[in-house]
């Protein structure tokens, strides 16, 4: 008994003004969630003649370049053989991966080769060869058969087997990827036995790698030559640098444009502000402004100088990310230091300027590969200023917690009956816990969250791929409470995996509210209607999902969704949603529900019926479409969420 959308959106077959527009944040969320799958897709489509090592690095480079620079339309969303709806963000990055992987295999016939045809500059590994783990004889035979195909032929085979696309869907993707003869590619793929299950083997997984050294003698010779050249550069640099002045090296920062006394004061590590260790105990404010400076490197002025300089003018090699709506400019005045210390394999600095949190991270062995992350935190209160992400590594995440936090634990939201796993707190830093952001793609079976206590309150937050974790609450908008306690955890369990839909969107909090319970027409029990609303730090762009769960269902099914609407929120807690439902006897029904203030519901269009109260049950046909209208006790009318 599976619910269906009341008004499913047809997938477009060609680029037009009606093509879905994909925001960069939506594409990034799809790329992060399905990164291992997309990298595997690129690896399989790339020509085997590149060699396994270069093929691995190229697959990662092409996958990371698949992120668009701005809002983009996706010209093709092929139907899946399973009939499931495809996320437009995933369809876009998948198409870009296939297109660039095919380009990389084409011969160089242009005066200027395409970027995908050149060896990748990043990622780059020195002194090691990286390649996937070897499979068995079947995997080797399949790899040899695929190597005999053209690039489009390999792409057709992989899209059939790995993506489970029917031939019409494969045609759409290959045509959008500018393949000249799509039918020839499909005929090539027909010549390879359909051993699609082998495509999931570690043999073809560029994210699960083995490492071996390169040619050690040749590397030693190159090292000697590099040392001689480096010594010459040092001498030349010293001569060119005299008789200049300044504070010292700025690491990965770009050169300054002009001397500005106010800007220089903001970048002086000696001017950084620090809250007193016990300021939070007496302050009228309990937000990030009263966090003391922690970490074992708070006195490292060279590290702090680099962090401030990179913040003011990040160089080309610095990876910069920001939550939507967050300015990335330099500090207006000396910021506040919250943390400076070693976190796993990096040195990390956390700064706060009253409106933003800024995380600077650099490898312990130098400033190459530095990263800079921004997050809005204006208007934060005690409930929102509980933790900050210090770093992610090996699928785990570490947090710096507020000074008033006395205990931390990891909890699986999808398994509310399982016990919380206690985490150690060392100077406010948690021991690592598995991050749901970096879990493998596929069926969602768990969702890890962080449970924090301060002696009186318990809060639950979750990592959504950003600097500040999102707070989880339950209850009617306006009176929602933290998702702690057995009842609240039970309420969240079926909907935990839906949090993946709001990754990377600057989410401040997510509330789950059961707004109705509806008896099923075949007498098998009652279904639960739950609305989840994700509020953002910028105050706009909230995402609302209406989900329906039948008795015995492990997860809720999304019946309707909307972006940037007041429904199901504190300003307007009203919500109305419907779903097509099939009974065990094979009969189809329209089930619709509103909140307790709904006086009546009316369905029009393909289904015509009405009911008094906040519940509607009407007989329907499979695939029927309906428009919903609800009338509130106040006489106001509302439309169905979509």
């Amino acid at each position: 008994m599976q619910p269906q959308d009341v008004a499913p959106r047809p997938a477009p077959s060609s680029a037009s003004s009606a093509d879905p527009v994909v925001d960069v944040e939506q594409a990034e969320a799809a790329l992060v969630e399905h990164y291992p799958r997309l990298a595997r897709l690129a690896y399989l489509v790339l020509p085997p003649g590149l060699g396994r090592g270069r093929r691995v690095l190229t697959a990662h480079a092409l996958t990371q370049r698949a992120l668009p620079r701005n809002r983009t339309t996706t010209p093709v969303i092929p139907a899946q053989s399973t009939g499931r709806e495809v996320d437009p963000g995933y369809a876009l990055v998948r198409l870009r991966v296939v297109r660039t992987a095919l380009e990389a295999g084409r011969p160089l016939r242009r005066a200027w080769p395409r970027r995908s045809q050149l060896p990748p500059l990043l990622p780059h590994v020195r002194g090691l060869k990286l390649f996937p783990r070897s499979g068995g004889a079947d995997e080797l035979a399949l790899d040899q058969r695929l190597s005999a195909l053209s690039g489009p032929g390999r792409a057709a085979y992989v899209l059939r087997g790995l993506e489970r696309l029917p031939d019409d869907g494969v045609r759409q993707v290959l045509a959008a990827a500018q393949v000249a003869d799509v039918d020839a590619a499909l005929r090539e793929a027909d010549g390879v036995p359909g051993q699609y299950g082998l495509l999931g083997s570690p043999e073809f997984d560029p994210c699960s790698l083995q490492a071996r050294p390169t040619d050690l003698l040749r590397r030693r010779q190159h090292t000697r030559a590099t040392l001689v050249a480096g010594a010459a550069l040092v001498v030349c640099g010293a001569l060119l640098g005299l008789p200049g002045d300044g504070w010292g090296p700025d690491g990965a920062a770009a050169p300054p444009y002009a001397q500005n006394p106010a800007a220089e004061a903001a970048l002086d590590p000696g001017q950084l502000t620090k809250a007193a260790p016990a300021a939070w105990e007496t302050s009228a404010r309990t937000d990030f402004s009263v966090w003391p400076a922690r970490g074992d490197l708070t006195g490292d002025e060279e590290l702090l100088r680099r962090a401030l300089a990179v913040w003011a003018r990040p160089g080309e090699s610095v990876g910069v990310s920001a939550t939507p709506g967050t300015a990335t400019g330099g500090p207006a005045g000396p910021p506040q230091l919250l943390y400076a210390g070693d976190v796993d394999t990096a040195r990390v600095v956390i700064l706060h300027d009253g409106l933003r949190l800024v995380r600077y991270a650099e490898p312990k062995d130098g400033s190459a590969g530095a990263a800079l992350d921004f997050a809005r935190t204006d208007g934060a209160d005690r409930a929102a200023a509980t933790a900050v992400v210090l770093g992610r590594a090996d699928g785990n995440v570490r947090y710096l917690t507020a000074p008033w936090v006395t205990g931390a634990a990891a909890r699986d939201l999808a398994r509310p009956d399982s016990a919380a796993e206690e985490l150690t707190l060392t100077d406010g830093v948690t021991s690592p816990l598995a991050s749901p952001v970096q879990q493998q793609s596929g069926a969602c079976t768990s969702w890890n969250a962080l449970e924090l206590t301060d002696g009186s309150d318990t809060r639950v937050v979750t990592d959504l791929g950003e600097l500040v974790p999102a707070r989880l609450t339950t209850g009617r908008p306006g009176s929602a409470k933290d998702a702690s306690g057995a009842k609240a955890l039970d309420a969240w369990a079926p909907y935990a995996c839906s949090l993946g839909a709001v990754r990377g969107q600057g989410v401040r909090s997510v509330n789950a509210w059961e707004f109705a319970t509806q008896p099923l027409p075949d007498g098998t029990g009652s279904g639960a209607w739950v609305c989840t609303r994700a509020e953002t730090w910028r105050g706009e762009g909230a995402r609302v999902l209406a989900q329906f769960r039948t008795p015995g269902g492990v997860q809720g099914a999304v019946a309707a969704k909307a972006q940037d609407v007041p429904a199901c929120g504190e300003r307007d807690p009203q919500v109305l949603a419907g779903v097509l439902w099939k009974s065990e006897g094979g009969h189809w029904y329209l089930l619709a529900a509103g909140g307790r203030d709904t006086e009546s519901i009316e369905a029009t269009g393909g289904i015509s019926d009405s009911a008094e109260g906040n519940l509607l049950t009407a007989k329907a046909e499979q695939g029927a479409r309906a428009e919903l209208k609800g009338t509130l006790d106040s006489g106001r009318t509302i439309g169905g969420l979509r």
Side-chain angles (χ1 to χ4, degrees):
M1 296 182 292
Q2 297 297 327
Q4 296 183 353
D5 287 344
V6 174
R9 298 175 177 84
S13 59
S14 62
S16 70
S17 60
D19 289 338
V21 177
V22 179
D23 291 329
V24 177
E25 295 79 12
Q26 184 181 1
E28 181 185 26
L31 184 62
V32 170
E33 181 177 3
H34 301 288
Y35 185 87
R37 186 182 190 87
L38 292 166
R40 185 187 291 265
L41 175 63
Y43 181 84
L44 285 163
V45 175
L46 284 168
L50 292 176
R52 299 179 76 196
R54 180 177 166 187
R55 198 171 159 198
V56 162
L57 297 180
T58 303
H60 284 282
L62 297 183
T63 304
Q64 293 170 21
R65 291 178 200 159
L67 184 67
R69 294 183 180 275
N70 45 40
R71 285 165 59 91
T72 308
T73 58
T74 176
V76 54
I77 306 181
Q80 298 289 112
S81 60
T82 58
R84 292 178 297 144
E85 183 180 355
V86 178
D87 172 32
Y90 178 72
L92 174 63
V93 294
R94 177 176 65 186
L95 173 60
R96 292 169 69 94
V97 166
V98 171
R99 181 182 295 156
T100 53
L102 289 173
E103 287 176 355
R106 292 173 186 153
L108 295 173
R109 294 174 180 170
R110 296 159 48 98
W112 293 98
R114 295 181 184 272
R115 184 183 180 190
S116 57
Q117 295 177 294
L118 299 174
L121 297 177
L122 293 172
H124 183 69
V125 180
R126 297 184 60 187
L128 290 176
K129 293 180 180 179
L130 300 177
F131 48 88
R133 298 180 181 277
S134 300
D138 292 339
E139 287 87 346
L140 178 60
L142 177 60
D143 193 34
Q144 292 174 341
R145 293 189 185 100
L146 292 179
S147 66
L149 302 181
S150 66
R154 278 194 306 276
Y157 186 89
V158 174
L159 289 171
R160 277 177 176 173
L162 187 65
E163 292 296 298
R164 297 289 191 265
L165 291 181
D167 283 359
D168 287 344
V170 174
R171 283 190 177 91
Q172 286 180 269
V173 175
L174 293 183
Q178 302 174 351
V179 172
D181 194 342
V182 174
D183 290 332
L186 288 168
R187 288 194 297 271
E188 273 193 87
D190 289 336
V192 178
Q195 297 174 297
Y196 297 137
L198 295 178
L199 296 179
S201 166
E203 171 86 16
F204 308 118
D205 184 5
C207 294
S208 178
L209 303 172
Q210 297 184 97
R212 294 292 185 272
T214 55
D215 188 324
L216 298 178
L217 289 177
R218 183 177 298 174
R219 196 168 81 203
R220 184 178 297 172
Q221 294 169 355
H222 289 175
T223 301
R224 291 188 186 128
T226 301
L227 289 174
V228 172
L233 285 174
V234 169
V235 172
C236 293
L239 293 174
L240 290 173
L242 294 175
D245 54 9
W247 287 322
D250 291 339
Y257 294 106
Q259 297 293 327
N260 184 307
E264 288 187 358
L267 302 180
D268 182 357
Q271 299 295 320
L272 283 172
T273 63
K274 300 177 183 179
W280 63 272
E281 297 180 8
T282 57
S283 174
R285 300 176 58 177
T286 49
D287 55 15
F288 294 109
S289 66
V290 295
W291 280 30
R294 287 169 287 180
D296 55 356
L297 298 178
T298 55
D300 188 337
E301 290 204 354
E302 292 301 317
L303 170 63
L304 300 178
R305 178 178 295 118
R306 289 194 299 273
L308 291 167
V310 172
W311 179 359
R313 48 182 198 281
E316 294 182 357
S317 64
V318 178
V320 180
S321 70
T323 58
T326 306
T328 58
Q336 178 185 352
L337 177 63
L338 303 187
Y339 181 86
D342 292 323
V343 181
D344 296 320
T345 60
R347 287 188 291 262
V348 175
V349 178
I350 304 289
L351 301 164
H352 180 240
D353 69 353
L355 298 176
R356 301 169 293 174
L357 279 174
V358 180
R359 175 184 178 269
Y360 169 78
E362 66 178 27
K364 290 183 179 179
D365 56 357
S367 60
L372 196 64
D373 304 309
F374 294 85
R376 284 184 66 164
T377 57
D378 47 319
D381 54 12
R382 185 183 180 97
T386 55
V388 174
V389 171
L390 277 183
R392 298 182 183 91
D394 301 325
N396 296 320
V397 59
R398 287 184 187 268
Y399 295 92
L400 175 67
T401 60
W404 51 83
V405 169
T406 58
R411 183 176 287 282
D412 187 351
L413 284 182
R415 296 182 177 86
D417 295 333
S418 61
E421 180 183 347
E422 185 177 354
L423 301 173
T424 60
L425 281 176
T426 306
D427 199 18
V429 179
T430 68
S431 53
L433 68 152
S435 170
V437 171
Q438 297 180 315
Q439 66 185 10
Q440 296 293 319
S441 60
C444 175
T445 58
S446 65
W447 191 277
N448 291 320
L450 177 66
E451 187 175 81
L452 301 171
T453 58
D454 61 7
S456 58
D457 295 320
T458 299
R459 309 190 195 283
V460 177
V461 299
T462 187
D463 182 13
L464 293 180
E466 302 177 24
L467 195 53
V468 182
R471 178 190 177 196
L472 302 182
T473 59
T474 58
R476 183 179 175 85
S479 57
K481 298 181 180 179
D482 286 286
S484 59
K487 185 176 180 180
L489 292 171
D490 286 339
W492 253 110
Y495 312 102
C497 290
S498 67
L499 289 167
V502 293
R503 288 179 175 141
Q505 297 182 23
V507 172
R508 176 175 184 158
S509 64
V510 188
N511 183 58
W513 170 42
E514 184 174 312
F515 63 90
T517 301
Q518 185 165 18
L520 300 178
D522 63 352
T524 56
S526 297
W529 285 96
V530 168
C531 179
T532 57
R533 180 181 175 91
E535 299 284 2
T536 67
W537 283 96
R538 62 191 184 278
E540 59 183 18
R543 186 176 178 88
V544 182
L545 299 179
Q547 303 187 61
F548 183 70
R549 184 169 68 99
T550 55
V554 177
Q555 296 182 9
V558 176
K561 55 187 174 182
Q563 188 88 13
D564 206 12
V565 297
C568 199
E570 188 169 351
R571 288 184 57 191
D572 185 7
Q574 308 303 332
V575 60
L576 175 63
V579 70
L580 284 180
W581 176 81
K582 184 180 180 182
S583 69
E584 291 183 349
H587 302 293
W588 286 91
Y589 295 89
L590 166 64
L591 304 179
R596 66 189 183 192
D597 298 331
T598 305
E599 187 177 75
S600 64
I601 300 175
E602 181 183 5
T604 57
I607 305 171
S608 181
D609 207 340
S610 62
E612 297 297 318
N614 69 328
L615 302 174
L616 169 66
T617 301
K619 291 184 178 180
E621 299 293 333
Q622 182 178 3
R625 301 165 65 92
E627 295 290 332
L628 298 175
K629 183 178 75 172
T631 303
L632 305 180
D633 295 338
S634 63
R636 173 188 157 205
T637 60
I638 60 173
L641 195 69
R642 62 172 54 208

